[in-house]
Amino acid sequence: MNAPSHSIQRRSFWNARSFGAIAFVVVIGAVLSAAFGPGVIGLDPAPADDGSMVLEAPRLHVRVVQAQSIEGPELFHRYRGDVIARRDSSLAMRRGGRLQDVAVHEGDLVKRGDVLARIDVADLHAAAASADAEIAAAEAALEEATAGPRYQTIRAAEARVQQFEAQWTAAKNRFERQRSLRSRGAGTQQEYDDAKFATDALAANQMSAKAELDELKEGTRQEQIAAARARLQLAKAARQRVEVDLSDSQIVAPFDGVIASRLFDEGSIIGPNQPVLRILESPPVHATFGVPADVSDFLKLNDRLRVSVGEAGPDESQPARVIRMQPQINPVTRTRVIEVELEADDTVAAAESIGWIGKTSTLWVPWAKTRTQQDDWIAHNDGVDRVPIWVPTSALVRGVRGLWSVYVAEPSLDSDLGADSANTTLDGNDTNVVAISRRDVKVIRTAGQMSLVSGSVAGTEAIVVEGTQRVGPGVRAVAVWESEASSLSSQETAAR
């Protein structure tokens, strides 16, 4: 009697469990059907009274956006470089000696022409005094030569001529008497000879005095004046050489700037051309960068870029202008050196920008400004000219063989939700019944939550950006626009 009763209880228990499982499956199916539509659980559309199938409105919603209306992030090519001064000079004196004065220290701002340091020049002051005396003597000699002989000098020369004439006349008379006596046999031969020699000597002196008088009357010769002028110029050149030595005995600021280093103090003995100070030119400062050849081809002089100092990002960068580009490519690094001038804004003080010198810097070249060979190859290596577009990275769907795809929402032509919905595109409607299709794309680059892709996606097509995990190719859904569709022409789309 006990065995049949146990069997009945066991069958009742299993029947209860079976009914519970069936009820659970039905409830889950109802929930899924309510959420995603009857197609999710494989339920066919209910037949109509006339025997035809009635397509119910899909309950699955996806968010879509027009491809060409997606704003991509602002991307940059970044290149590291160094901040340098526009001019960086080591200052020295051509003469050696004992440092007498060093007027500046590190960090002092100086103006062009300021005297920064000098050595002892006592010996040069003595040389300058001697040169001044020589100049004075040469000037006096030149004035005397230019003025010619004085009147009194000419009168004295005339008197000497008259004196020699009188002496010659007397000597000639004595000679005539001696010759007369000698002809009569009186007088000696010696007396005759002495009288003749005295007459000839006085005649020569008379001629010399007359020549000197004529020279004085004619004035100073031009050659003598030129010689006196040359001696004056020589004296002045010696004085100028002293001035050059005095100038070479001090350091003068060659431009406005700041003292970077002071190498010696007063009293130090320095040699010729030995650096004493180092000066950096005042802002604007410069920066140099090595840029790849394919990027530098898109840059030209006076292009406006952004440069950040240190580890700052593009948001904290300063405007810069390309002022110099190296003509040749470095054969080792395959880069071209460019130099930019930082145009510090009003918020950056001059002292702060000077403090940038020597720091590393980053050049931010907008990605939209350049199109590298690698980007071209990725976008067009299949021979088809396609305009890359930005899409949210979440909109990418993994395709076959490691490729990527995006879902495109196309109008569903088999929908009878309205007579107009089947004959219109997605443009201009807030919500639409769409059919999902897959488009293969190539990922060119990613930037955070956005990716740049190239593929067979037209700019006017709607891309599914939210809900990709709930749909697949051929699935019908309701498209909800992220933003209004664009009405750009094909030419404007290609330009964008």
Side-chain angles (χ1 to χ4, degrees), residues 42-54:
L43 299 179
D44 293 332
D49 295 337
D50 57 359
S52 62
M53 295 296 179
V54 177

Side-chain angles (χ1 to χ4, degrees), residues 292-484:
D294 56 351
V295 175
S296 65
D297 291 341
F298 292 91
L299 301 178
K300 59 183 181 299
L301 294 179
N302 296 320
D303 274 356
R304 302 288 174 170
L305 303 173
R306 304 290 298 184
V307 174
S308 61
V309 180
E311 300 301 326
D315 296 338
E316 304 176 21
S317 59
Q318 302 293 329
R321 178 174 60 91
V322 179
I323 61 171
R324 198 170 293 111
M325 299 181 66
Q326 193 176 32
Q328 72 278 7
I329 301 296
N330 190 309
V332 178
T333 62
R334 306 305 302 170
T335 59
R336 188 194 307 273
V337 176
I338 69 171
E339 185 172 343
V340 301
E341 182 180 88
L342 274 67
E343 300 174 350
D345 52 26
D346 297 336
T347 60
V348 179
E352 181 179 353
S353 59
I354 290 176
W356 294 343
I357 297 175
K359 292 185 177 180
T360 59
S361 58
T362 303
L363 176 66
W364 303 93
V365 181
W367 183 84
K369 187 178 182 64
T370 64
R371 189 175 60 183
T372 63
Q373 296 175 359
Q374 181 182 5
D375 294 338
D376 274 347
W377 184 86
I378 293 175
H380 308 295
N381 67 341
D382 55 359
V384 180
D385 190 10
R386 293 167 177 163
V387 178
I389 59 174
W390 286 99
V391 298
T393 304
S394 59
L396 295 176
V397 181
R398 188 175 296 278
V400 295
R401 296 187 298 275
L403 301 178
W404 293 95
S405 305
V406 294
Y407 287 149
V408 174
E410 297 178 336
S412 179
L413 300 181
D414 57 355
S415 172
D416 62 350
L417 294 179
D420 297 335
S421 62
N423 299 322
T424 60
T425 63
L426 293 178
D427 299 342
N429 296 325
D430 293 336
T431 59
N432 304 273
V433 177
V434 296
I436 304 300
S437 62
R438 180 193 298 269
R439 303 290 176 83
D440 292 332
V441 296
K442 300 173 185 178
V443 178
I444 299 177
R445 63 177 63 237
T446 59
Q449 299 180 354
M450 301 294 291
S451 297
L452 183 68
V453 300
S454 174
S456 57
V457 180
T460 55
E461 290 186 302
I463 297 177
V464 178
V465 296
E466 186 177 335
T468 55
Q469 74 280 5
R470 300 196 300 267
V471 297
V475 175
R476 296 170 61 251
V478 176
V480 180
W481 282 100
E482 178 79 12
S483 59
E484 293 185 359

Side-chain angles (χ1 to χ4, degrees), residues 150-218:
R150 299 175 63 182
Y151 172 75
Q152 293 83 352
T153 305
I154 296 176
R155 291 291 302 275
E158 291 176 347
R160 289 187 62 193
V161 171
Q162 294 175 359
Q163 179 183 1
F164 283 127
E165 286 181 354
Q167 291 176 355
W168 177 76
T169 300
K172 183 180 180 181
N173 292 333
R174 284 194 298 270
F175 173 71
E176 292 294 335
R177 286 193 298 269
Q178 290 293 330
R179 185 170 61 176
S180 176
L181 292 174
R182 183 64 179 163
S183 62
R184 294 193 300 270
T188 62
Q189 184 66 32
Q190 182 65 39
E191 292 175 344
Y192 176 79
D193 293 339
D194 290 342
K196 186 178 184 307
F197 177 77
T199 302
D200 294 339
L202 289 173
N205 290 336
Q206 181 185 5
M207 292 179 61
S208 177
K210 287 183 177 181
E212 291 178 358
L213 177 61
D214 293 339
E215 181 181 1
L216 291 175
K217 289 182 177 181
E218 290 180 2

Side-chain angles (χ1 to χ4, degrees), residues 4-244:
S5 64
H6 289 298
S7 177
I8 294 173
Q9 292 178 0
R10 188 178 299 110
R11 285 195 298 271
S12 300
F13 173 75
W14 287 109
N15 289 336
R17 293 190 60 182
S18 299
F19 285 126
I22 293 172
F24 177 76
V25 172
V26 171
V27 172
I28 293 299
V31 172
L32 294 177
S33 178
F36 304 113
V40 176
I41 60 174
L43 299 179
D44 293 332
D49 295 337
D50 57 359
S52 62
M53 295 296 179
V54 177
L55 294 176
E56 297 182 1
R59 300 180 181 178
L60 181 62
H61 290 68
V62 292
R63 192 172 297 277
V64 298
V65 64
Q66 196 174 41
Q68 66 189 9
S69 67
I70 301 177
E71 294 288 342
E74 188 176 8
L75 297 182
F76 297 92
H77 299 287
R78 52 180 297 176
Y79 306 101
R80 301 291 284 180
D82 298 311
V83 180
I84 61 174
R86 183 164 57 176
R87 284 185 286 185
D88 183 346
S89 301
S90 295
L91 305 182
M93 289 173 272
R94 294 180 59 187
R95 295 183 72 248
R98 181 176 59 85
L99 271 176
Q100 185 178 19
D101 181 28
V102 181
V104 292
H105 292 268
E106 289 87 347
D108 289 350
L109 297 176
V110 297
K111 295 291 185 181
R112 179 179 179 179
D114 290 348
V115 178
L116 309 180
R118 59 168 57 92
I119 61 175
D120 187 13
V121 290
D123 56 334
L124 294 181
H125 290 319
S130 175
D132 290 339
E134 292 179 0
I135 291 175
E139 288 177 346
L142 177 61
E143 291 176 358
E144 181 181 4
T146 304
R150 299 175 63 182
Y151 172 75
Q152 293 83 352
T153 305
I154 296 176
R155 291 291 302 275
E158 291 176 347
R160 289 187 62 193
V161 171
Q162 294 175 359
Q163 179 183 1
F164 283 127
E165 286 181 354
Q167 291 176 355
W168 177 76
T169 300
K172 183 180 180 181
N173 292 333
R174 284 194 298 270
F175 173 71
E176 292 294 335
R177 286 193 298 269
Q178 290 293 330
R179 185 170 61 176
S180 176
L181 292 174
R182 183 64 179 163
S183 62
R184 294 193 300 270
T188 62
Q189 184 66 32
Q190 182 65 39
E191 292 175 344
Y192 176 79
D193 293 339
D194 290 342
K196 186 178 184 307
F197 177 77
T199 302
D200 294 339
L202 289 173
N205 290 336
Q206 181 185 5
M207 292 179 61
S208 177
K210 287 183 177 181
E212 291 178 358
L213 177 61
D214 293 339
E215 181 181 1
L216 291 175
K217 289 182 177 181
E218 290 180 2
T220 307
R221 297 179 56 183
Q222 295 298 322
E223 293 82 353
Q224 293 176 331
I225 297 176
R229 186 175 290 110
R231 286 191 293 270
L232 176 60
Q233 293 177 351
L234 183 62
K236 289 182 176 180
R239 182 65 173 87
Q240 186 175 3
R241 185 168 55 251
V242 175
E243 290 295 332
V244 172

